[in-house]
Amino acid sequence: MARGGLDRLLGLALGLLLALALAPGALRAKPTVRKERVVRPDSELGERPPEDNQSFQYDHEAFLGKEDSKTFDQLTSEESKERLGKIVDRIDSDGDSFVTTEELKTWIKRVQKRYIYDNVAKVWKDYDRDKDDKISWEEYKQATYGYYLGNPTEFQDTSDHHTFKKMLPRDERRFKAADLNGDQTATREEFTAFLHPEEFEHMKEIVVLETLEDIDKNGDGFVDQDEYIADMFSHEENGPEPDWVLSEREQFNEFRDLNKDGKLDKDEIRHWILPQDYDHAQAEARHLVYESDKNKDEKLTKEEILENWNMFVGSQATNYGEDLTKNHDEL
């Protein structure tokens, strides 16, 4: 990188932006509104609205993805059915001409996670400097921290120095956790796990550990109630706490602090931010099968799906269906 003033500032800005993207919360100013820490694996798929049996909007967003479901209002019903038929062929992973609840659940989960793979595809070339379709830790480190490592004197006694000094080993630890074969090089799937650890089972401990480190300001290895609240809310001078903060204090005492010792350990943090109580994709898959299964054999034929096409794609189709004609393999 050139050492000119403008290049130096741009390099620093890029490094900070990358650092922010890879360590959410690390540099963020204290919020004055509630922050959501709970990780939802199907993060684009929320609760079904109580009254959605007419518009099928929730079904469309679950089956196609939120953004794609908005863009498909230009096709006729016949065009929609044709593209839906191609999607059904992709969902039927074992090729037995039936779509099971499990196959539909898998599809919905992949659609909902597609955004993370799109994100990785966008940044891949910035890190894969030698174009070998892998990203080594050294490549990532140089792309993200190269300017800092090459010019350490410029960061002495600054908050940037503290930030980079903290984040570099944290990123290296996360990279090693994502690197399943330990070769210090990430495949696309491993790099996806690095950038989006909340989406991968083997990265859940890293998510818990980073959450603990973010919130545990006194460094005792636990999160007490004040630290828990401070992560969500910044007090105004002498200002009263909003009602939701008082409610969160009650939540901490009654539901977060399971052993009632006044603080959260790693297990309690895991229970809080990685709830295992409800699988939205499973519930939606069961719903779609139930509503479309005419002969009640608990699986769907292509004909049954196309007969109820408006529940899956409505009067809209999806440019995801359009993508299928291009033989994309991301999903």
Side-chain angles (χ1 to χ4, degrees):
M1 179 183 294
R3 298 300 178 92
L6 179 58
D7 283 345
R8 181 178 65 80
L9 290 173
L10 288 173
L12 175 58
L14 177 60
L16 286 170
L17 286 171
L18 288 169
L20 278 167
L22 295 172
L27 296 178
R28 189 180 301 156
K30 287 184 180 180
T32 55
V33 295
R34 183 174 186 165
K35 179 195 296 183
E36 180 60 68
R37 279 279 181 184
V38 178
V39 173
R40 304 289 182 188
D42 304 310
S43 52
E44 290 197 343
L45 189 61
E47 298 287 351
R48 169 180 289 278
E51 298 296 334
D52 189 45
N53 57 338
Q54 297 298 321
S55 71
F56 303 128
Q57 180 180 351
Y58 182 93
D59 300 303
H60 300 165
E61 292 181 0
F63 187 72
L64 304 171
K66 184 172 291 187
E67 291 305 315
D68 288 345
S69 69
K70 296 175 182 177
T71 64
F72 283 80
D73 55 359
Q74 302 301 319
L75 300 182
T76 66
S77 61
E78 292 307 312
E79 289 172 325
S80 297
K81 291 177 185 179
E82 179 183 356
R83 295 187 180 185
L84 175 59
K86 294 177 181 178
I87 294 176
V88 172
D89 292 338
R90 292 285 300 276
I91 299 173
D92 178 19
S93 58
D94 60 7
D96 67 350
S97 299
F98 294 99
V99 170
T100 64
T101 300
E102 190 64 25
E103 286 174 324
L104 201 49
K105 181 185 78 169
T106 299
W107 174 264
I108 290 170
K109 283 183 176 290
R110 293 172 79 178
V111 166
Q112 297 304 317
K113 288 183 178 179
R114 182 176 42 175
Y115 76 97
I116 73 172
Y117 293 100
D118 289 345
N119 171 256
V120 170
K122 288 175 183 176
V123 303
W124 182 264
K125 64 180 182 298
D126 297 329
Y127 297 107
D128 182 17
R129 294 185 165 190
D130 62 7
K131 309 305 177 187
D132 64 349
D133 206 33
K134 293 180 290 186
I135 295 172
S136 68
W137 165 246
E138 194 63 29
E139 284 178 309
Y140 172 79
K141 182 174 71 173
Q142 289 302 320
T144 306
Y145 299 103
Y147 188 80
Y148 163 72
L149 294 171
N151 302 272
T153 57
E154 297 185 24
F155 295 88
Q156 295 298 328
D157 302 322
T158 67
S159 60
D160 294 335
H161 172 74
H162 173 75
T163 297
F164 279 104
K165 188 175 181 180
K166 173 184 176 183
M167 289 177 60
L168 179 56
R170 176 166 161 155
D171 275 355
E172 185 173 13
R173 181 183 65 195
R174 188 196 284 193
F175 193 95
K176 288 179 178 177
D179 177 20
L180 290 177
N181 64 2
D183 64 354
Q184 299 186 56
T185 301
T187 63
R188 285 182 182 265
E189 188 73 4
E190 289 172 333
F191 197 64
T192 302
F194 171 68
L195 292 183
H196 299 275
E198 71 282 354
E199 303 288 351
F200 292 81
E201 191 62 36
H202 68 281
M203 298 294 289
K204 295 296 176 66
E205 289 307 308
I206 285 290
V207 175
V208 172
L209 182 57
E210 290 182 0
T211 300
L212 172 60
E213 291 172 344
D214 284 345
I215 306 177
D216 175 24
K217 299 306 182 185
N218 65 12
D220 66 351
F222 299 94
V223 172
D224 61 36
Q225 187 183 104
D226 288 339
E227 289 169 331
Y228 173 82
I229 295 298
D231 182 59
M232 307 177 187
F233 174 74
S234 180
H235 279 282
E236 304 259 341
E237 282 189 19
N238 301 319
E241 289 185 342
D243 289 343
W244 69 261
V245 173
L246 299 177
S247 175
E248 279 296 338
R249 290 191 182 278
E250 294 176 3
Q251 288 282 321
F252 181 94
N253 291 329
E254 295 181 23
F255 302 110
R256 308 283 185 245
D257 181 17
L258 300 177
N259 62 6
K260 308 304 177 187
D261 65 351
K263 56 191 177 184
L264 306 185
D265 57 25
K266 285 184 182 179
D267 288 338
E268 289 168 322
I269 291 172
R270 184 182 302 103
H271 187 270
W272 162 37
I273 67 171
L274 300 171
Q276 302 296 317
D277 54 347
Y278 188 71
D279 188 333
H280 293 286
Q282 175 78 17
E284 176 63 11
R286 287 175 176 170
H287 166 73
L288 289 172
V289 170
Y290 177 81
E291 294 294 339
S292 306
D293 183 16
K294 297 299 183 182
N295 63 3
K296 301 306 176 185
D297 62 353
E298 299 184 350
K299 54 188 176 182
L300 302 179
T301 63
K302 181 185 285 189
E303 289 70 28
E304 286 175 321
I305 292 174
L306 292 179
E307 186 175 341
N308 200 23
W309 68 276
N310 60 321
M311 171 166 280
F312 290 85
V313 296
S315 57
Q316 309 163 9
T318 165
N319 56 2
Y320 181 61
E322 211 169 330
D323 287 345
L324 292 175
T325 65
K326 302 175 185 176
N327 196 30
H328 283 194
D329 295 322
E330 296 90 74
L331 295 178

